[in-house]
Amino acid sequence: MADLSKVRNIGISAHIDSGKTTLSERILFYTGKIHAIHEVRGKDGVGAKMDSMDLEREKGITIQSAATYCTWGDYNINLIDTPGHVDFTVEVERALRVLDGAVLVLCSVAGVQSQSITVDRQMRRYSVPRVAFINKCDRQGANPDRVAEQLREKLAHNPAFVTYTIGLEDKLEGVIDVINMQALYFDGEGGVDVRREPIPAALEAKAKELRHKLVEVAADFDDTLMEKFLMDEPIGAEELTAAVRKGTLSLKMTPVFCGSAYKNKGVQTLLDGITSLLPAPFDIKNEALDQDNNEQKVTLESDPSKNLVMLAFKLEDGRYGQLTYMRVYQGTIKKGDTIINIANGKKVKVPRLVRMHSNEMHDIDESIAGDIVAMFGVDCASGDTFTDGSVSYTMTSMFVPEPVIELAVAPKDKAGQVNFSKALNRFTKEDPTFRVMRDEESGETIIKGMGELHLEIYIERIRREFNTEITVGRPKVAFRETLTQRAEFNYTHKKQTGGSGQFARVGGFIEPLPGDAIENYEFVDDIVGGVIPREYVPACDKGFRESIIEGSLIGQPVVRVRVTINDGATHAVDSSEMAFKTAAIMAFREAYAQAKPTILEPIMKLEVSVPEEFQGSVIGQLNQRRGVIMGTDSDAGYVTVESEVPLSEMFGYSTDLRSATQGKGEFSMEFKKYQPVPRNIQEEMVKEYQKKRAEGNK
């Protein structure tokens, strides 16, 4: 039986292009999982092991999180390399949901970038302890001290160096191990041989200062260490490591490692840090909700002898059918066992249990609490909980952001229809942020996602994996509607036909929900004295829910609405569920028109990085696109402009930016919030929608 204290489940997350996949590649090389190093954009055409999809290799980016496992000394490490591009943010969400610890990779030149902030927010959402790795210390302009300062200022971390570089840029020779006060050099092919030497005299003062700082930060988490620190007594490496680990697990300290994955320097020390500072499965508190006991919270124990509880966190369609990635939180699972999906009560026999090494599978017979495994033949959705049937627990699923962009798609010819449907079914199962709907008016199939690249990748995958050519409409922004003031309603629905008629009256008001509300719709039942019988209240709720699917301004979903019913009337013979549902729909329409409805548009947080001489033209471009400049930051000849821009104005931006900056500008963008569109644009949009409807009705 594996020793759980020697298991580490970790993820590697960062801003796009910080070198996550290169780092994962080196980790696999040093742990003996692969025997040759391939670069992400390598000339050999092989591509990185963890980028197993052709599209990933072509674009040089990670699209799907890839799982693998390796051993370092006597530790077993389950590793997930996650995408850095914001369009694939759900991959990061689901990885962090099931991991115990993480490595936040930062570029020593660019430092903390917009996506680093997003990833950090995701780590906080799931309370994941992390270490930071400042990568690319061999690049011109590398400055680890500045990056550590940004960690403190921009992310409110409490960073302390555990390793520090010997030399920088093209003079990067090795790293200083601050805990053991030694200089480490990486010799041999691929930097395999780690040579320990005394610290060079020129760096001794810096090393002492770093150790003093590390002890000072770690002393907050260990009273004995604090006493020794105050008394100026010598502090051993073991007790310092234990205190740093305590600080890391409490999320109140971030140990910082330095190096260059590409130049094979500092990766082994990071591996030592992962095993000595990040949590084992039982160091993390995992909770489930007991369905048999009013969803009471239950703490799961990383104990192989307890009842089985595991979470399906990622689905992939492989050559042999659906592959489901599971994190085992409690108990043991063996090949041939029967497990139950709590979401739908279905029983499943486990035909095959595998450990994933990127896109390769290694068969295993059993897996215990703390493991990450994959299995075939399990029909489920992302976020379903499985048990052995003795308990009825569910685990909270991951946070899924709302899609902000949509495209109309259709197969080029009738023959492709079957494959087209298959592809869309598969992708919606795999990716909770990829949505498919049918536009009833135009009969078109609409796909929705997190950004242009997100949908572009799926369209390309339909072409390649399903051999289906498709036609694509213009990208459309996912607008929303909302109300801006309270409005009363009092609607009577009467219909008299032969025999029994229909009668229902509903009274109450609609009002906007506060901007920070998590839910988009709230129903308040304030009926007293039984003016609407109990059995008809759910029908009213149903009617209101149906009404908000499509607002009357431009036919988009209505958000942030609270509906309160406090009055009504009923008829002994003519009232029915159907009558109350219809009355609610009509009442909502009546009140919505009086509630000063407005259109909301998605606003993106945009970060553009360009050489200083192009600053003026970049700001000019953003102003033309209704952008609001939030701040600029210049460093080492480059300027970073942060702004908030409506998504509808961002189509074709990459081409404009390239031409305005001679191809030297780069940008990253993520969804920030919804806000009302300017009045003149709203009027235009409403006119256009009404014109389209009038044409459709002819």
Side-chain angles (χ1 to χ4, degrees), residues 621-670:
Q621 271 187 351
L622 293 175
N623 288 336
Q624 277 174 348
R625 292 171 180 267
R626 295 198 283 128
V628 178
I629 310 294
M630 307 306 283
T632 57
D633 187 16
S634 66
D635 187 68
Y638 262 78
V639 68
T640 301
V641 181
E642 276 185 30
S643 61
E644 290 180 2
V645 193
L647 176 62
S648 55
E649 303 285 345
M650 286 306 294
F651 296 122
Y653 180 65
S654 51
T655 317
D656 287 1
L657 180 68
R658 270 201 297 274
S659 56
T661 60
Q662 297 164 11
K664 293 174 185 162
E666 46 185 55
F667 74 97
S668 66
M669 177 169 81
E670 65 172 304

Side-chain angles (χ1 to χ4, degrees), residues 46 99 183 188 233 238-239 269 307 459 464 468 485 533 540 614 631:
V46 176
L99 293 169
E233 290 175 27
E238 270 181 29
E239 53 186 331
T269 43
N307 312 67
I459 287 163
R464 292 181 186 202
T468 304
Q485 65 180 39
C540 297
F614 300 116

Side-chain angles (χ1 to χ4, degrees), residues 4-15:
L4 266 187
S5 64
K6 301 277 197 238
V7 172
R8 297 289 178 270
N9 292 317
I10 62 146
I12 295 187
S13 311
H15 183 89

Side-chain angles (χ1 to χ4, degrees), residues 7 145 216 229 274 277 302 312 335 452 482 529 585 616 620 671 683:
V7 172
D145 291 300
E216 187 183 349
F229 174 65
I274 286 169
L277 303 177
S302 297
K335 208 158 98 175
E452 282 185 275
T482 193
I585 291 172
F671 172 70
E683 284 166 8

Side-chain angles (χ1 to χ4, degrees), residues 69-90:
Y69 67 99
C70 52
T71 51
W72 182 246
D74 51 358
Y75 284 86
N76 288 316
I77 300 174
N78 288 313
L79 175 86
I80 296 185
D81 171 28
T82 63
H85 201 288
V86 68
D87 284 12
F88 309 106
T89 191
V90 75

Side-chain angles (χ1 to χ4, degrees), residues 572-623:
V573 178
D574 291 352
S575 286
S576 64
E577 280 193 14
M578 190 63 208
F580 273 97
K581 187 177 154 188
T582 309
I585 291 172
M586 301 313 287
F588 184 85
R589 278 188 199 160
E590 193 177 79
Y592 188 57
Q594 309 305 314
K596 292 218 171 141
T598 183
I599 299 170
L600 299 174
E601 63 179 341
I603 301 293
M604 308 305 278
K605 182 178 156 204
L606 177 73
E607 194 173 273
V608 189
S609 179
V610 292
E612 274 170 354
E613 69 258 34
F614 300 116
Q615 181 174 350
S617 52
V618 163
I619 288 177
Q621 271 187 351
L622 293 175
N623 288 336

Side-chain angles (χ1 to χ4, degrees), residues 254-422:
T254 307
V256 180
F257 293 79
C258 298
S260 162
Y262 183 59
K263 287 282 195 289
N264 310 318
K265 289 183 174 27
V267 179
Q268 293 97 317
T269 43
L270 174 65
L271 276 164
D272 291 338
I274 286 169
T275 52
S276 62
L277 303 177
L278 286 178
F282 51 67
D283 290 321
I284 296 288
K285 185 180 177 187
N286 287 304
E287 289 184 327
L289 306 172
D290 188 348
Q291 297 304 314
D292 295 340
N293 191 4
N294 270 339
E295 298 209 336
Q296 281 282 321
K297 284 190 173 174
V298 192
T299 301
L300 299 176
E301 293 173 50
S302 297
D303 182 343
S305 61
K306 294 265 173 148
N307 312 67
L308 175 74
V309 180
M310 54 189 194
L311 180 75
F313 67 95
K314 178 173 160 60
L315 314 177
E316 250 177 44
D317 226 19
R319 289 192 298 275
Y320 313 106
Q322 182 176 302
L323 179 68
T324 308
Y325 286 80
M326 301 268 197
R327 160 77 200 255
V328 187
Y329 282 96
Q330 188 174 286
T332 303
I333 181 167
K334 294 187 171 77
K335 208 158 98 175
D337 278 0
T338 299
I339 54 175
I340 289 176
N341 183 347
I342 298 299
N344 56 21
K346 281 186 185 165
K347 289 188 174 180
V348 184
K349 195 168 178 183
V350 180
R352 184 180 176 198
L353 211 50
V354 293
R355 276 195 155 178
M356 296 304 292
H357 173 36
S358 185
N359 58 343
E360 293 170 17
M361 286 161 225
H362 301 167
D363 279 280
I364 51 172
D365 290 327
E366 73 164 15
S367 166
I368 62 163
D371 269 347
I372 290 177
V373 291
M375 53 184 79
F376 284 104
V378 178
D379 184 28
C380 66
S382 204
D384 285 356
T385 308
F386 286 82
T387 71
D388 53 10
S390 55
V391 287
S392 188
Y393 294 168
T394 56
M395 300 200 64
T396 52
S397 190
M398 65 287 255
F399 168 80
V400 177
E402 283 296 309
V404 291
I405 188 168
E406 46 191 62
L407 279 176
V409 288
K412 259 197 180 141
D413 47 51
K414 285 274 185 288
Q417 189 66 49
V418 175
N419 276 355
F420 177 67
S421 303
K422 261 191 203 161

